[in-house]
Amino acid sequence: MILEAFENIRVDKYISDEFEEIPREKIKDFIKDKKIKVNNKNIKPSYKLVIGDQIDIDDELFEVPEILAEPMDIKVVYENEDYAIIDKDENVIVHPAGSIITGTLVNGLLYKYGYDGLSHIGGDDRPGIVHRLDKDTTGLMVIAKNNETYKYMKGLFETRQVYKEYLAIVFGNFDQKSARIENFMDRDKNNPRKMAVCPSGRKAISEYEVIKEVDGYSLVKIHILTGRTHQIRVHMTHINHPLLGDPVYGNVKHKFNLDHQLLHCTRLGFTDQNGEYVSFSAPVHAKFQKYQDVLGLGD
């Protein structure tokens, strides 16, 4: 059944928002091939849902090709029998999506831990994955080694009980050196692959603190209380301080040969299953450090 909050939303957009890993074009093809119906009737991708609609989706849409184990250099910060804390590199997609089924973090995790050494109730295409970082965002992630840990950690993330701190290099200097950003985020109506601040959507909360500034650039520490897709990138752009190098939300000309955002998850903290609060940290990677030093934002 469709909730009132989703009334008057295109059916292809609704499904795309619910299942982010499935390309919207594939959803449209399924609708055109009559493999997605509403109230057991054929519809167009542009059909707008109403309260009470029942969406029927052919299971074929969710079929996942075999995901193979592949050797990968995975930096393990800490691990025990229940979970691992890793430091993800740039240019690494977390899990397979669409036609991308190789070279992801999941491929590397399968090689390192094996299928039986990871949780598998989060989806056949994402064993061990509790949460995600963008392809070019580096830093700390929690990997669940069993289903009980997955359920426990998923609950912590969903109830905002995981401390998540990032460092970013952004354009501009700040009048307000620290502040809380609280608004709502949803898919950009003009580009479904982007997120945007808008009255609809889900609440997104970030807190930032300027660490160091030089003319035109700032090093910023950001603590996120929610975990929306692209949250930091959208929030910083929203307050006119886009991330240096961000090809999607930045769109600011600069003199550097940089095609991705400089964003690093530097700290994670949570209460583990034994009731002990644990905290992990990881320094920024070489490329981030390089631009810190070039700009004069280093120590």
Side-chain angles (χ1 to χ4, degrees):
M1 303 292 284
I2 305 304
L3 301 176
E4 184 175 358
F6 297 105
E7 185 179 16
N8 207 36
I9 298 293
R10 284 176 56 121
V11 64
D12 60 338
K13 181 182 186 304
Y14 174 77
I15 298 173
S16 177
D17 288 350
E18 288 295 301
F19 306 101
E20 296 179 0
E21 68 275 14
I22 302 176
R24 193 166 175 180
E25 290 306 312
K26 184 175 181 180
I27 294 170
K28 289 181 179 179
D29 289 340
F30 258 63
I31 293 173
K32 293 173 183 177
D33 292 341
K34 303 177 182 179
K35 294 180 179 179
I36 295 178
K37 298 182 179 182
V38 174
N39 304 325
N40 206 31
K41 296 179 180 178
N42 299 327
I43 39 86
K44 295 180 179 180
S46 58
Y47 173 82
K48 292 190 175 181
L49 297 166
V50 297
I51 298 173
D53 276 348
Q54 179 73 47
I55 303 176
D56 301 306
I57 306 176
D58 193 306
D59 289 342
E60 183 184 334
L61 183 63
F62 303 100
E63 289 181 357
V64 178
E66 182 181 5
I67 302 170
L68 302 177
E70 299 174 359
M72 178 181 291
D73 181 19
I74 297 177
K75 303 172 187 174
V76 178
V77 174
Y78 170 85
E79 66 179 320
N80 57 27
E81 62 182 9
D82 293 320
Y83 63 86
I85 305 297
I86 69 163
D87 183 357
K88 188 183 88 69
D89 282 327
E90 66 181 72
N91 196 34
V92 176
I93 296 173
V94 168
H95 60 74
S99 61
I100 301 172
I101 58 173
T102 62
T104 73
L105 178 61
V106 161
N107 297 102
L109 291 173
L110 287 171
Y111 185 87
K112 184 174 182 62
Y113 295 110
Y115 181 80
D116 292 336
L118 298 166
S119 65
H120 52 266
I121 59 174
D124 291 338
D125 60 341
R126 54 189 75 185
I129 301 302
V130 180
H131 62 121
R132 292 179 291 182
L133 293 179
D134 295 339
K135 173 185 174 183
D136 287 312
T137 297
T138 57
L140 298 174
M141 289 184 61
V142 181
I143 303 301
K145 292 185 174 182
N146 54 62
N147 292 338
E148 288 303 312
T149 299
Y150 174 88
K151 288 188 285 188
Y152 177 79
M153 291 304 307
K154 196 71 173 177
L156 292 186
F157 276 97
E158 290 177 350
T159 54
R160 305 179 188 176
Q161 296 183 67
V162 178
Y163 181 84
K164 297 166 284 185
E165 183 181 293
Y166 292 74
L167 283 176
I169 296 178
V170 305
F171 285 102
N173 300 136
F174 291 72
D175 293 328
Q176 196 170 359
K177 305 305 181 184
S178 63
R180 179 183 176 103
I181 306 169
E182 184 170 344
N183 47 40
F184 295 88
M185 285 175 50
D186 202 349
R187 293 282 169 184
D188 190 321
K189 294 181 179 179
N190 299 316
N191 185 345
R193 294 190 178 277
K194 293 177 62 175
M195 302 296 290
V197 171
C198 58
S200 64
R202 303 168 71 186
K203 181 173 285 189
I205 306 172
S206 304
E207 297 174 339
Y208 74 82
E209 177 185 347
V210 176
I211 304 300
K212 190 172 183 179
E213 293 180 320
V214 296
D215 186 24
Y217 300 93
S218 300
L219 176 66
V220 183
K221 178 173 69 176
I222 305 163
H223 167 217
I224 59 172
L225 287 83
T226 54
R228 308 303 172 220
T229 301
H230 300 172
Q231 178 174 317
I232 291 175
R233 298 162 68 186
V234 172
H235 269 175
M236 298 312 291
T237 299
H238 183 66
I239 62 171
N240 298 316
H241 293 288
L243 273 62
L244 175 62
D246 192 332
V248 177
Y249 299 98
N251 197 27
V252 178
K253 290 184 179 181
H254 55 83
K255 59 184 178 181
F256 304 110
N257 183 25
L258 184 64
D259 61 358
H260 64 269
Q261 69 276 3
L262 291 176
L263 180 62
H264 177 76
C265 182
T266 188
R267 187 173 298 278
L268 280 178
F270 54 88
T271 299
D272 67 15
Q273 288 153 290
N274 297 318
E276 179 183 359
Y277 186 81
V278 292
S279 180
F280 306 95
S281 61
V284 296
H285 292 190
K287 186 172 287 186
F288 194 114
Q289 187 66 57
K290 169 188 171 182
Y291 284 96
Q292 256 190 276
D293 294 341
V294 166
L295 290 167
L297 293 169
D299 295 333

